[in-house]
C-alpha cells in the first residue's frame, strides 16, 4: 500500500460498528501500522472496544459520541498518550484532523456534521452514512464540490456501480439496476409478515450486519434509501433507477448502456470487498475474501420486487420525484418507526404505513436552503411519526 516510509493517514468515523470493525480488519490485513497512521477513531457506547482499537492501531485521537462517557474513555486510555474527546464537537474534531482518507460510517443524523467537516476540507470520503445523501442530498454534494473532496461509495450496491460506471461513457448510461437479496421475508405473505418480531427480521440470509440495517433490509427500506442515494451519487433521474431481487447476492449491481450492454460487478457477499476497493482506490489490493466458484454457484436467480409487500420502494420513488426535504422526511419517519418496531410497540408492516402517513402530512415542507432546514425537517418527521405511534 505504501512505499518507503510513506504512510497513509486515515480517520474512521464509527469504528465500533459493523462497517467500522470491517474497515479496521481490512487495514490490518493490508499492513496495519506499517502502512497506515490512524489520525482518529470514533465510536458511541462501546467504550471498551473503542479503547482497545485505539491502543491496537496507535490512534492519535479517540472520540465517543456520548459526552457522558468521556471520563470512562479517558480512564480506559490513561497512560497511552492517545488524546480523548467526546460529543458532537469531538466528532467534528476527529473529522477535521489531517487525514487524507475518512471512513464515514456513523449511523444516522449524528454522522452528518462530521462527514460534512471532512468534505469541507477536501478529504477522500468512503461514504457509508446514508443520511448525507438521503437527507441532505444536494447540500452535501455542494459541500463536497466546494471543498474538493472525493466520494468513494462503500455500500456494496453503490460501490459496484462505481466500479463499472465508465466515466467516459456517462452520456450513454440508460439505467442502473440495484440488486436486493429480498431479505428473510422474500417469500413470505403479508399475513405472515404482519406477525414477525425484530429478532426474526434481523436474520439476514446472506449478509452479516447490525440490528437496524438488518431490519431495514428485511423491510427493503435499506434499498429505498439506496435508490435515493444513487440518484445523488450518479446524477440520475428517478426513472433511471431500477431494483431487481437477486437472492444469491452475487451480482451487487449493474449499469445498462444505450447500446444494450449491461455491465455488472460480481463477488461473494463480504463488505470488506467494497471497503478494500474504497481504501485502495484507484488501485486494487489483495484481500482475503472468498472467491467466486462459478461451477459451484451453478445458477443466478432474479425476480421483480413486490411493492405491495414492500412499499418502501414506492415511497422512495415518491420522495425522489417530490425532491426538496422529502428524503429527510422519509428517513426521519423511518428511523422513528424502526425504533418503535424494535421495542415491539408497532408491527413490522406498520413501519411503512407510518412513513407514508408522515410523508402525506409533511408533503408541503419547503426545500432546504441550509443544513438547519434539513435537521428541522428530520425533527418534524420524527415528531409526527412519534405522534402516530402514540
Amino acid at each position: 500500500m505504501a512505499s518507503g516510509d510513506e504512510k497513509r493517514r486515515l480517520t474512521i468515523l464509527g469504528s465500533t460498528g459493523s462497517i467500522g470493525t470491517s474497515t479496521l480488519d481490512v487495514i490490518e490485513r493490508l499492513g496495519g501500522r506499517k502502512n497506515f497512521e490512524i489520525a482518529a477513531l470514533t465510536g458511541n457506547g462501546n467504550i471498551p472496544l473503542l479503547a482497545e482499537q485505539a491502543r491496537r492501531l496507535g490512534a492519535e485521537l479517540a472520540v465517543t459520541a456520548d459526552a457522558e462517557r468521556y471520563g470512562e474513555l479517558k480512564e480506559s486510555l490513561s497512560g497511552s498518550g492517545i488524546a480523548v474527546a467526546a460529543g458532537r464537537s469531538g466528532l467534528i474534531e476527529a473529522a477535521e484532523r489531517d487525514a487524507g482518507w475518512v471512513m464515514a460510517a456513523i449511523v444516522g443524523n449524528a454522522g452528518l456534521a462530521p462527514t460534512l467537516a471532512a468534505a469541507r476540507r477536501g478529504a477522500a470520503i468512503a461514504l457509508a452514512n446514508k443520511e448525507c445523501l438521503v437527507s441532505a442530498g444536494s447540500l452535501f454534494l455542494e459541500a463536497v464540490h466546494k471543498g474538493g473532496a472525493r466520494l468513494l461509495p462503500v455500500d456494496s450496491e453503490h460501490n459496484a456501480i462505481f466500479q463499472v460506471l465508465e466515466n467516459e461513457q456517462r452520456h450513454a448510461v440508460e439505467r442502473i439496476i440495484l440488486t436486493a437479496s429480498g431479505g428473510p421475508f422474500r417469500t413470505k405473505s403479508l399475513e405472515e409478515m404482519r406477525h414477525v418480531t425484530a429478532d426474526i427480521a434481523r436474520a439476514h440470509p446472506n449478509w452479516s450486519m447490525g440490528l437496524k440495517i438488518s431490519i431495514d433490509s428485511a423491510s427493503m427500506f435499506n434499498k429505498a434509501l439506496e435508490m435515493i442515494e444513487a440518484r445523488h451519487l450518479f446524477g440520475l433521474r428517478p426513472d433511471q433507477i431500477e431494483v431487481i431481487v437477486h437472492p444469491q447476492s452475487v451480482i451487487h449491481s449493474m449499469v445498462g448502456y444505450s447500446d444494450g450492454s449491461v455491465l455488472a460487478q460480481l463477488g461473494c457477499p463480504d463488505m470488506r470487498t467494497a471497503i478494500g476497493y474504497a481504501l485502495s482506490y484507484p488501485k486494487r489490493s489483495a484481500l482475503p475474501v472468498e472467491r467466486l466458484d462459478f461451477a459451484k454457484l451453478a445458477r443466478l436467480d432474479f425476480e421483480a420486487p413486490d411493492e405491495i409487500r414492500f412499499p418502501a420502494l414506492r415511497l422512495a420513488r415518491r420522495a425522489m420525484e417530490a425532491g426538496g426535504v422529502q428524503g429527510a422526511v422519509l428517513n426521519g419517519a423511518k428511523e422513528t418507526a424502526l425504533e418503535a418496531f424494535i421495542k415491539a410497540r408497532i408491527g413490522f408492516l406498520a413501519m411503512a404505513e407510518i412513513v407514508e402517513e408522515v410523508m402525506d402530512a409533511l408533503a408541503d415542507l419547503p426545500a432546504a436552503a441550509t443544513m438547519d432546514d434539513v435537521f428541522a425537517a428530520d425533527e418534524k418527521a420524527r415528531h409526527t411519526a412519534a405522534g402516530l405511534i402514540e
Side-chain angles (χ1 to χ4, degrees), residues 32-369:
R33 295 172 73 164
K34 176 184 175 183
N35 291 330
F36 302 98
E37 292 178 350
I38 305 300
L41 297 177
T42 82
N44 190 28
N46 195 339
I47 302 301
L49 178 57
L50 177 59
E52 187 275 327
Q53 291 174 337
R55 287 181 180 273
R56 189 173 84 240
L57 287 154
E60 296 171 7
L61 172 68
V63 179
T64 170
D66 187 345
E68 295 183 0
R69 307 288 292 276
Y70 172 81
E72 185 181 347
L73 181 58
K74 184 81 171 174
E75 183 178 350
S76 297
L77 290 172
S78 176
S80 67
I82 298 170
V84 174
R88 185 176 186 272
S89 62
L91 295 177
I92 293 174
E93 179 186 349
E96 289 178 339
R97 286 247 164 172
D98 179 23
W101 189 91
V102 176
M103 168 58 77
I106 297 175
V107 176
N109 272 356
L112 258 175
T115 308
L116 270 170
R120 285 168 176 154
R121 68 172 180 80
I125 299 171
L127 188 64
N129 171 277
K130 294 187 179 300
E131 281 70 14
C132 288
L133 290 172
V134 172
S135 297
S138 57
L139 288 176
F140 177 71
L141 290 178
E142 182 181 339
V144 167
H145 296 320
K146 283 185 176 179
R150 170 139 209 176
L151 292 184
L152 302 167
V154 171
D155 260 349
S156 61
E157 294 81 3
H158 301 137
N159 186 268
I161 294 165
F162 187 73
Q163 292 192 46
V164 299
L165 183 58
E166 301 172 323
N167 278 327
E168 66 275 14
Q169 298 294 337
R170 278 182 174 260
H171 67 281
V173 173
E174 280 189 343
R175 58 180 175 151
I176 63 167
I177 305 148
L178 302 173
T179 56
S181 70
F185 307 141
R186 179 175 64 87
T187 61
K188 300 294 184 184
S189 68
L190 275 172
E191 188 59 30
E192 289 174 308
M193 292 165 65
R194 195 177 307 280
H195 304 291
V196 302
T197 64
D199 282 339
I200 296 172
R202 73 185 300 175
H204 196 281
N206 299 335
W207 296 93
S208 176
M209 304 180 291
L211 172 63
K212 289 186 175 182
I213 193 171
S214 294
I215 297 174
D216 276 348
S217 180
S219 66
M220 294 195 77
F221 264 112
N222 191 49
K223 200 59 51 182
L225 300 184
E226 288 171 6
M227 292 167 67
I228 299 172
E229 288 180 276
R231 180 194 181 190
H232 292 294
L233 270 172
F234 305 113
L236 300 168
R237 302 185 311 273
D239 63 290
Q240 290 179 289
I241 301 167
E242 301 178 10
V243 173
I244 191 76
V245 174
H246 169 47
Q248 291 90 354
S249 295
V250 168
I251 295 178
H252 299 304
S253 277
M254 298 169 271
V255 178
Y257 290 93
S258 57
D259 63 356
S261 298
V262 177
L263 301 188
Q265 188 266 339
L266 288 73
C268 292
D270 189 327
M271 281 307 303
R272 294 177 300 174
T273 299
I275 292 167
Y277 185 81
L279 179 60
S280 303
Y281 184 84
K283 300 179 180 179
R284 292 182 185 266
S285 295
L287 297 173
V289 298
E290 183 182 356
R291 269 44 175 179
L292 274 181
D293 183 336
F294 285 93
K296 184 178 178 181
L297 183 64
R299 59 182 286 174
L300 297 174
D301 298 306
F302 304 93
E303 60 192 59
D306 182 348
E307 294 190 7
I308 295 176
R309 290 184 300 130
F310 300 102
L313 304 179
R314 172 175 56 80
L315 297 177
R317 294 196 186 283
R318 173 177 167 179
M320 287 191 291
E321 288 162 2
V325 295
Q326 288 306 301
V329 169
L330 182 153
N331 185 70
K334 187 273 298 181
E335 285 291 301
T336 305
L338 174 60
E339 289 284 355
F341 172 67
I342 290 171
K343 295 174 181 176
R345 296 177 62 202
I346 62 172
F348 182 78
L349 298 180
M351 289 190 289
E353 294 168 359
I354 287 167
V355 171
E356 185 158 22
E357 285 192 57
V358 173
M359 292 178 72
D360 288 341
L362 304 181
D364 295 328
L365 285 182

